[in-house]
Amino acid sequence: GIEEVAYNEGYAIMVCQSSECYEREVLNLRSLVSNRVAGVLVSISQETKDMLHFDILKRNKIPVVFFDRSHGEISDPQVLVDDYSGAVQLVEHIISRGYRRIAHIAGPDFVSIGQKRLMGYKDALEKSGIGFDENLVVNGGFKEEDGLRAIEEILRMKPLPEAIFAVNDPVALGVYRVLKEKGIKIPEEIALAGFCNNPILELVEPAVTTVHQPAYEMGMAAVELLLESINNPKGKHRVADKILETKLIVRQST
């Protein structure tokens, strides 16, 4: 989505990956500034607790747009999906299928998607009358290995949860692998759901329920906001944030 819009406007793209590492994010940012880029699009790492390193962009008058993940210290334009509503809709679906003891593998609580998906999970349980049990929440990150670690902790719970809502699809995939290896039937013994609609979760057996977030549209919207800032560097008004809607994708795992 980013490339389609940027190339049509005559811009080339440089891609730097942090691999969820704060130190890499800082080095990537310095590299981009040294290459005198026209603007920067950022999805912050799961380790990013402060935003001081982004001050280098302001000092060099390089516009920035954040996408996918927000942070309390961000004052620049953002393109996000409605993580809260997506989580509410997903948990309400799980409850509608008869599950009551639902565990959540949460993301870092200082990153927006971790906060909002946890909040949606809690509110859906409260609204249904089941109530929120903090003992059913396992904190982790956004990688597959976080799912591998979290499911081992969940499987020590007494009694076992009836369903698991993972903060994203890579984490859900880690959970899926362990459940399969241990011969635990999905969804008969434990139901499973993720978030983001990674194509691989449609190919496993059983296919895993998830929430679709419009990544392609998010990329297009992010670069469009960035181009507004690039083309209007003396603009007096901050470019408005954009919030995109999600869609529940129900599959066999629930």
PDB file of all heavy atoms in Angstrom, residues 27 40 42 72 76 88 92 103 106 130 143 180:
ATOM      1  N   LEU A  27      18.925   2.768  15.495  1.00  0.00           N
ATOM      2  CA  LEU A  27      19.929   2.754  14.429  1.00  0.00           C
ATOM      3  C   LEU A  27      19.292   2.978  13.061  1.00  0.00           C
ATOM      4  O   LEU A  27      19.834   3.704  12.225  1.00  0.00           O
ATOM      5  CB  LEU A  27      20.688   1.423  14.446  1.00  0.00           C
ATOM      6  CG  LEU A  27      21.629   1.192  15.631  1.00  0.00           C
ATOM      7  CD1 LEU A  27      22.183  -0.224  15.606  1.00  0.00           C
ATOM      8  CD2 LEU A  27      22.767   2.208  15.625  1.00  0.00           C
ATOM      9  N   VAL A  40       9.370   9.889   6.931  1.00  0.00           N
ATOM     10  CA  VAL A  40       9.514   8.572   7.566  1.00  0.00           C
ATOM     11  C   VAL A  40       8.150   8.054   8.012  1.00  0.00           C
ATOM     12  O   VAL A  40       7.348   8.790   8.596  1.00  0.00           O
ATOM     13  CB  VAL A  40      10.464   8.643   8.783  1.00  0.00           C
ATOM     14  CG1 VAL A  40      10.581   7.279   9.458  1.00  0.00           C
ATOM     15  CG2 VAL A  40      11.841   9.134   8.370  1.00  0.00           C
ATOM     16  N   VAL A  42       6.552   4.993  10.426  1.00  0.00           N
ATOM     17  CA  VAL A  42       7.055   4.171  11.525  1.00  0.00           C
ATOM     18  C   VAL A  42       5.957   3.328  12.153  1.00  0.00           C
ATOM     19  O   VAL A  42       4.888   3.840  12.498  1.00  0.00           O
ATOM     20  CB  VAL A  42       7.676   5.047  12.638  1.00  0.00           C
ATOM     21  CG1 VAL A  42       8.223   4.164  13.768  1.00  0.00           C
ATOM     22  CG2 VAL A  42       8.773   5.937  12.091  1.00  0.00           C
ATOM     23  N   GLY A  72       1.654   6.728  23.980  1.00  0.00           N
ATOM     24  CA  GLY A  72       1.132   7.895  24.672  1.00  0.00           C
ATOM     25  C   GLY A  72       1.880   9.182  24.385  1.00  0.00           C
ATOM     26  O   GLY A  72       1.319  10.275  24.539  1.00  0.00           O
ATOM     27  N   ASP A  76       2.543  13.242  16.583  1.00  0.00           N
ATOM     28  CA  ASP A  76       2.538  13.320  15.128  1.00  0.00           C
ATOM     29  C   ASP A  76       1.338  12.552  14.565  1.00  0.00           C
ATOM     30  O   ASP A  76       0.690  11.785  15.275  1.00  0.00           O
ATOM     31  CB  ASP A  76       3.846  12.736  14.576  1.00  0.00           C
ATOM     32  CG  ASP A  76       5.059  13.524  15.046  1.00  0.00           C
ATOM     33  OD1 ASP A  76       5.287  14.610  14.503  1.00  0.00           O
ATOM     34  OD2 ASP A  76       5.764  13.044  15.956  1.00  0.00           O
ATOM     35  N   VAL A  88     -13.378  -6.526  21.027  1.00  0.00           N
ATOM     36  CA  VAL A  88     -14.719  -6.728  21.595  1.00  0.00           C
ATOM     37  C   VAL A  88     -15.523  -7.691  20.727  1.00  0.00           C
ATOM     38  O   VAL A  88     -16.141  -8.642  21.216  1.00  0.00           O
ATOM     39  CB  VAL A  88     -15.465  -5.381  21.735  1.00  0.00           C
ATOM     40  CG1 VAL A  88     -16.942  -5.618  22.042  1.00  0.00           C
ATOM     41  CG2 VAL A  88     -14.830  -4.525  22.813  1.00  0.00           C
ATOM     42  N   GLU A  92     -16.781 -11.363  21.956  1.00  0.00           N
ATOM     43  CA  GLU A  92     -18.235 -11.606  21.961  1.00  0.00           C
ATOM     44  C   GLU A  92     -18.582 -12.823  21.110  1.00  0.00           C
ATOM     45  O   GLU A  92     -19.473 -13.608  21.470  1.00  0.00           O
ATOM     46  CB  GLU A  92     -18.967 -10.366  21.451  1.00  0.00           C
ATOM     47  CG  GLU A  92     -18.987  -9.223  22.449  1.00  0.00           C
ATOM     48  CD  GLU A  92     -19.702  -7.991  21.928  1.00  0.00           C
ATOM     49  OE1 GLU A  92     -19.903  -7.885  20.689  1.00  0.00           O
ATOM     50  OE2 GLU A  92     -20.056  -7.125  22.751  1.00  0.00           O
ATOM     51  N   ALA A 103      -8.910 -17.217  28.123  1.00  0.00           N
ATOM     52  CA  ALA A 103      -7.611 -16.625  28.450  1.00  0.00           C
ATOM     53  C   ALA A 103      -7.202 -15.634  27.369  1.00  0.00           C
ATOM     54  O   ALA A 103      -7.644 -15.727  26.220  1.00  0.00           O
ATOM     55  CB  ALA A 103      -6.555 -17.717  28.584  1.00  0.00           C
ATOM     56  N   ALA A 106      -1.626 -11.272  26.170  1.00  0.00           N
ATOM     57  CA  ALA A 106      -1.600  -9.836  25.911  1.00  0.00           C
ATOM     58  C   ALA A 106      -0.246  -9.392  25.370  1.00  0.00           C
ATOM     59  O   ALA A 106       0.777 -10.052  25.591  1.00  0.00           O
ATOM     60  CB  ALA A 106      -1.922  -9.074  27.193  1.00  0.00           C
ATOM     61  N   ILE A 130     -19.809 -12.399  32.431  1.00  0.00           N
ATOM     62  CA  ILE A 130     -18.817 -13.399  32.862  1.00  0.00           C
ATOM     63  C   ILE A 130     -17.849 -12.788  33.865  1.00  0.00           C
ATOM     64  O   ILE A 130     -17.471 -13.405  34.851  1.00  0.00           O
ATOM     65  CB  ILE A 130     -18.047 -13.962  31.647  1.00  0.00           C
ATOM     66  CG1 ILE A 130     -19.001 -14.740  30.742  1.00  0.00           C
ATOM     67  CG2 ILE A 130     -16.886 -14.845  32.092  1.00  0.00           C
ATOM     68  CD1 ILE A 130     -18.371 -15.196  29.441  1.00  0.00           C
ATOM     69  N   LYS A 143       5.627 -11.809  18.982  1.00  0.00           N
ATOM     70  CA  LYS A 143       6.280 -12.798  18.130  1.00  0.00           C
ATOM     71  C   LYS A 143       5.751 -14.206  18.395  1.00  0.00           C
ATOM     72  O   LYS A 143       5.151 -14.482  19.443  1.00  0.00           O
ATOM     73  CB  LYS A 143       7.792 -12.781  18.355  1.00  0.00           C
ATOM     74  CG  LYS A 143       8.479 -11.482  17.963  1.00  0.00           C
ATOM     75  CD  LYS A 143       9.976 -11.607  18.187  1.00  0.00           C
ATOM     76  CE  LYS A 143      10.727 -10.357  17.749  1.00  0.00           C
ATOM     77  NZ  LYS A 143      12.191 -10.510  17.939  1.00  0.00           N
ATOM     78  N   LYS A 180      -0.971 -28.488  19.028  1.00  0.00           N
ATOM     79  CA  LYS A 180      -0.887 -29.610  18.091  1.00  0.00           C
ATOM     80  C   LYS A 180       0.134 -30.646  18.559  1.00  0.00           C
ATOM     81  O   LYS A 180      -0.112 -31.857  18.511  1.00  0.00           O
ATOM     82  CB  LYS A 180      -0.524 -29.097  16.701  1.00  0.00           C
ATOM     83  CG  LYS A 180      -1.691 -28.528  15.912  1.00  0.00           C
ATOM     84  CD  LYS A 180      -2.653 -29.648  15.495  1.00  0.00           C
ATOM     85  CE  LYS A 180      -3.736 -29.162  14.564  1.00  0.00           C
ATOM     86  NZ  LYS A 180      -4.619 -30.255  14.101  1.00  0.00           N
TER      87      LYS A 180
END
